Amino acid sequence: MKKIMLVSIAAFLSLTAPGIVSADNELQETKTDKQIEALSESSTEATSSNLTSEQESRENSYTAKQENEQSSLDSAAEKQETEESSTAADLTSIEKEEIEEEMTQEEAATEEEEEEKEEEEEEYDEELYGPEEPIVWTVPIEAVAFDHKIHTMEAGLECDSCHDELFEMEAGLASENEDFIMETMYQGGYCGACHDGDMAFAANTRCATCHIGVMGMEGEEHQTSEH
């Protein structure tokens, strides 16, 4: 009886064994596939991680490069701005000096004008400066206008600079003298005592300054290029 049972079990096992082995193989294959899949996913993640790190590194490097370039540009702009500010300061200083100099010159000119105006506005004193109206001489050449104001009040001459050594005090009396001619003046007489080219312009120059009738004057041999 036992023998029969053993035979039966052996037969059963021989029939079911292939199925068990097959199931076990399938289980092993499934496990292997999962392992391969897990390895593949891990490899993919690692590759992706590496790519991400490399990309981030490149981006960081590019960003750093841009920042360095921007920093260089900012430094150059700051330097240029400093130089421009310095140049502007120098120009401002020069302009300020020029303006101050112009103001000084203008003030000096204004003071001079005011002094001249005060002198012009000064009341003319005939006793101190001589007759106010010009004396018109008709000889030796017609006609000469002598202005006391120009010679005394403005030039600073005293009455005794001319009277009575050069001219009599009476107006026009000198014209009666025989030597009251231009040649005498060229030699230092009468007006020529001062109009000698040193104290004042020479008597044989700038004729029209004194001779109001210069176009009709005689003695052309005494005219010069300075008439």
Side-chain angles (χ1 to χ4, degrees):
M1 183 70 173
K2 291 181 180 179
K3 187 177 181 180
I4 294 172
M5 291 180 63
L6 291 172
V7 172
S8 298
I9 290 171
F12 176 76
L13 291 173
S14 63
L15 293 173
T16 59
I20 293 172
V21 172
S22 176
D24 185 57
N25 290 337
E26 290 179 0
L27 181 61
Q28 291 294 331
E29 290 178 359
T30 301
K31 185 176 181 180
T32 300
D33 291 341
K34 288 183 178 181
Q35 290 177 343
I36 292 171
E37 185 178 353
L39 289 173
S40 177
E41 291 178 357
S42 176
S43 177
T44 301
E45 291 177 357
T47 302
S48 176
S49 177
N50 291 335
L51 291 174
T52 301
S53 298
E54 184 177 355
Q55 184 177 2
E56 289 178 353
S57 177
R58 289 180 179 178
E59 290 178 353
N60 291 335
S61 177
Y62 180 73
T63 301
K65 183 178 179 181
Q66 283 188 321
E67 290 177 353
N68 290 334
E69 291 177 352
Q70 186 62 42
S71 178
S72 298
L73 291 174
D74 293 341
S75 298
E78 184 177 353
K79 182 179 180 181
Q80 183 178 359
E81 184 177 352
T82 302
E83 292 176 351
E84 290 177 352
S85 299
S86 177
T87 302
D90 292 340
L91 289 175
T92 301
S93 178
I94 294 173
E95 291 173 353
K96 185 177 180 181
E97 292 178 358
E98 291 178 349
I99 291 173
E100 290 177 352
E101 184 177 354
E102 289 178 359
M103 290 179 64
T104 302
Q105 293 176 352
E106 289 177 358
E107 290 175 358
T110 301
E111 291 178 359
E112 186 176 351
E113 289 176 0
E114 290 177 353
E115 291 176 358
E116 292 177 355
K117 187 176 181 180
E118 289 176 0
E119 291 177 357
E120 290 176 358
E121 292 176 351
E122 182 181 349
E123 185 176 353
Y124 189 83
D125 186 346
E126 288 194 346
E127 291 185 3
L128 181 62
Y129 299 122
E132 185 173 6
E133 292 295 326
I135 297 175
V136 179
W137 300 83
T138 57
V139 292
I141 298 174
E142 189 175 353
V144 172
F146 177 83
D147 192 338
H148 276 86
K149 181 179 180 181
I150 294 175
H151 293 79
T152 57
M153 185 176 178
E154 296 181 7
L157 296 176
E158 301 291 340
C159 293
D160 58 7
S161 298
C162 299
H163 305 294
D164 286 319
E165 184 177 351
L166 298 176
F167 290 90
E168 292 82 355
M169 186 63 73
E170 184 179 345
L173 188 60
S175 63
E176 298 178 4
N177 301 331
E178 292 184 0
D179 66 343
F180 192 67
I181 59 177
M182 293 302 300
E183 188 63 34
T184 302
M185 295 184 190
Y186 299 151
Q187 295 175 7
Y190 299 108
C191 300
C194 292
H195 289 276
D196 57 357
D198 293 326
M199 180 178 286
F201 62 88
N204 61 346
T205 64
R206 295 175 57 180
C207 300
T209 301
C210 302
H211 294 270
I212 58 177
V214 67
M215 297 305 295
M217 62 183 290
E218 298 174 2
E220 292 184 358
E221 68 273 10
H222 299 301
Q223 296 184 25
T224 71
S225 58
E226 294 185 49
H227 284 182

